[in-house]
Amino acid sequence: MFGARQSAAQFQYTVTAEDQATLDTWMPRIEAKLRALPQLRDVNTDVQNARLAMKLQVNREAASRLKVPFESIDDTLNDAFSQRQVATIYGPANQYHIVMEVAPEYWQEPKTLDSIYVPAPAPAPATAATASSSSSSDASGTSAATSSAALAPLSTLATRALTHAPVTIAHDNQFPAVTVSYNLNDGVSMSAANAAISTAIASLHLPNAIVPSFAGAGAQFLKSGGSELLLVIGALMAVYIALGILYESLVHPLTILSTLLSAGLGALLALYVTGFELSIIALIGNVLLISIVKKNAIMMADFAITYERQHAASAQDSIYQACLTRFRPITMTTLAALLGAVPLIVSSGYGHEFRHPLGVAIIGGLVVSQMITLYTTPVIYLWLDRFNRRKGPRNGVE
């Protein structure tokens, strides 16, 4: 979710580098630094070095002494193990590729490299005096010796070492990358964990070739951290404008929006009691409460305004009748919304860690707002009505 890689923990931290060697050098230090943080647990990486690899190191001094060019060593290994195509046989209907390689039984063990010989330049030809004094039988032996001297064993030109190699190499934006996954200890918020990780990584003084960054939920938290307040303010402004147009008043929308304070307080208390942090998902639950909870005040304020206009009643009598008449529908709609959020809490399975705080925020906000707004909304309605009357007559009602 949120662009994260598949991992064994909930949160992720990705480290990219310009080359794999630099990444392999610094990743053990970064992992050890993160494991030492008390805010984190279950720290792990996606590095898998379970595969064995044979590293062949060419001794250039020995190759130069034997006058064997590096290209000859490379070509010999290419002919033996890379399945080089050397020819093609064309038949009447098909064509067949001729591939040069060693026999499959020699692929299994590294000691096969000891049986490989690299062509070396032939020695200088014998002088005329030496050639004339040599017998015909000696000539054949010299020819054989010259032929054997033209091949140099690979074991004298290179050394081999058995090492570990990664099974796969992950990439991020075409650069080699390693993802560190982790969970948070009990009572640690995401913001506190992100700050601790940033401080720990800064203390390592990483080179410019390494770029660490948060991934998944951590990255989304950083991106949305500065816009959460703007999101809530924008939602409140949209609701205020819509209600102001509906009631043709600048005061009564404030009565309706006053219920959101109790809903937000209830959501925060529920998250605190259950141990959940104010994450992005919990914030979404608070935004949903804006549209759910305000219907309590809308039912009472709409009835009171209509009753006051039709019966020329006082604001106190109008809001009192609204409380008596709208109590049942307010309770029914609140229970319907509350029971609809129960499956979010009791559900399990994949993604339940995101659904639980959403359900807790919704239920907590609904319960507290239901208990408080039935008493506070009439008081705020009357207080704003008195304030509005001081400004002058309202809609023909004195």
Side-chain angles (χ1 to χ4, degrees):
M1 186 172 288
F2 300 123
R5 300 177 186 268
Q6 184 176 1
S7 61
Q10 181 179 1
F11 304 99
Q12 297 179 346
Y13 190 77
T14 301
V15 181
T16 59
E18 294 181 356
D19 56 86
Q20 187 65 35
T22 305
L23 191 62
D24 294 338
T25 301
W26 284 93
M27 269 312 301
R29 308 178 193 178
I30 296 175
E31 183 180 359
K33 197 71 173 179
L34 295 182
R35 286 183 182 274
L37 293 178
Q39 294 87 353
L40 309 183
R41 61 181 175 87
D42 304 329
V43 178
N44 199 0
T45 65
D46 59 356
V47 177
Q48 298 180 4
N49 290 329
R51 188 179 68 175
L52 295 178
M54 178 60 64
K55 183 178 181 181
L56 194 66
Q57 182 68 37
V58 177
N59 189 341
R60 294 183 178 268
E61 294 182 0
S64 177
R65 185 171 57 253
L66 297 175
K67 297 181 180 181
V68 177
F70 186 84
E71 291 76 9
S72 297
I73 301 175
D74 185 61
D75 292 340
T76 301
L77 295 175
N78 191 13
D79 294 338
F81 301 106
S82 68
Q83 298 183 346
R84 172 186 289 183
Q85 180 182 345
V86 296
T88 303
I89 299 177
Y90 296 93
N94 297 316
Q95 59 182 6
Y96 305 92
H97 301 291
I98 305 301
V99 177
M100 178 183 294
E101 61 180 0
V102 298
E105 58 267 21
Y106 297 107
W107 295 347
Q108 307 303 321
E109 297 181 0
K111 66 180 182 180
T112 303
L113 296 173
D114 296 336
S115 304
I116 296 178
Y117 289 81
V118 180
T127 61
T130 305
S132 61
S133 63
S134 300
S135 62
S136 60
S137 58
D138 295 335
S140 60
T142 304
S143 176
T146 302
S147 176
S148 62
L151 295 176
L154 182 63
S155 58
T156 63
L157 301 173
T159 57
R160 67 175 188 267
L162 194 63
T163 60
H164 292 278
V167 178
T168 58
I169 298 178
H171 287 78
D172 187 12
N173 293 329
Q174 300 181 354
F175 290 99
V178 173
T179 298
V180 181
S181 59
Y182 59 91
N183 290 321
L184 304 182
N185 280 322
D186 297 337
V188 178
S189 63
M190 187 183 299
S191 58
N194 290 354
I197 292 174
S198 300
T199 304
I201 296 300
S203 64
L204 292 176
H205 303 288
L206 299 177
N208 295 331
I210 295 182
V211 180
S213 61
F214 290 94
Q220 294 298 323
F221 177 81
L222 293 178
K223 292 180 180 178
S224 61
S227 60
E228 291 179 357
L229 182 60
L230 296 178
L231 176 64
V232 175
I233 293 176
L236 295 178
M237 291 298 298
V239 172
Y240 179 82
I241 293 174
L243 294 176
I245 296 174
L246 177 64
Y247 293 114
E248 298 180 354
S249 173
L250 299 176
V251 176
H252 288 300
L254 297 177
T255 304
I256 298 171
L257 292 178
S258 64
T259 59
L260 302 181
L261 297 177
S262 60
L265 177 62
L268 294 178
L269 289 176
L271 291 172
Y272 177 78
V273 171
T274 54
F276 291 106
E277 62 182 15
L278 185 60
S279 60
I280 299 175
I281 304 300
L283 180 64
I284 293 175
N286 282 270
V287 175
L288 291 176
L289 287 174
I290 295 177
S291 60
I292 298 176
V293 172
K294 70 178 188 302
K295 51 87 182 173
N296 296 349
I298 289 178
M299 288 184 179
M300 288 188 289
D302 185 72
F303 184 90
I305 293 173
T306 303
Y307 188 88
E308 183 177 355
R309 290 174 178 174
Q310 292 180 353
H311 299 83
S314 64
Q316 184 174 354
D317 293 338
S318 300
I319 194 63
Y320 177 74
Q321 292 297 327
C323 292
L324 297 177
T325 307
R326 295 301 189 187
F327 176 77
R328 179 178 295 180
I330 288 175
T331 304
M332 293 176 62
T333 54
T334 301
L335 287 176
L338 190 148
L339 295 176
V342 170
L344 297 175
I345 297 180
V346 300
S347 63
S348 60
Y350 182 77
H352 69 278
E353 64 274 7
F354 295 101
R355 295 191 293 268
H356 287 178
L358 177 63
V360 168
I362 293 176
I363 292 178
L366 288 175
V367 171
V368 174
S369 66
Q370 180 71 13
M371 293 187 301
I372 295 179
T373 56
L374 292 178
Y375 301 97
T376 59
T377 300
V379 175
I380 296 176
Y381 179 87
L382 294 176
W383 183 80
L384 292 177
D385 181 79
R386 295 191 187 99
F387 174 80
N388 196 28
R389 287 181 180 276
R390 295 193 189 101
K391 299 297 181 180
R394 174 171 52 87
N395 295 330
V397 180
E398 299 294 340

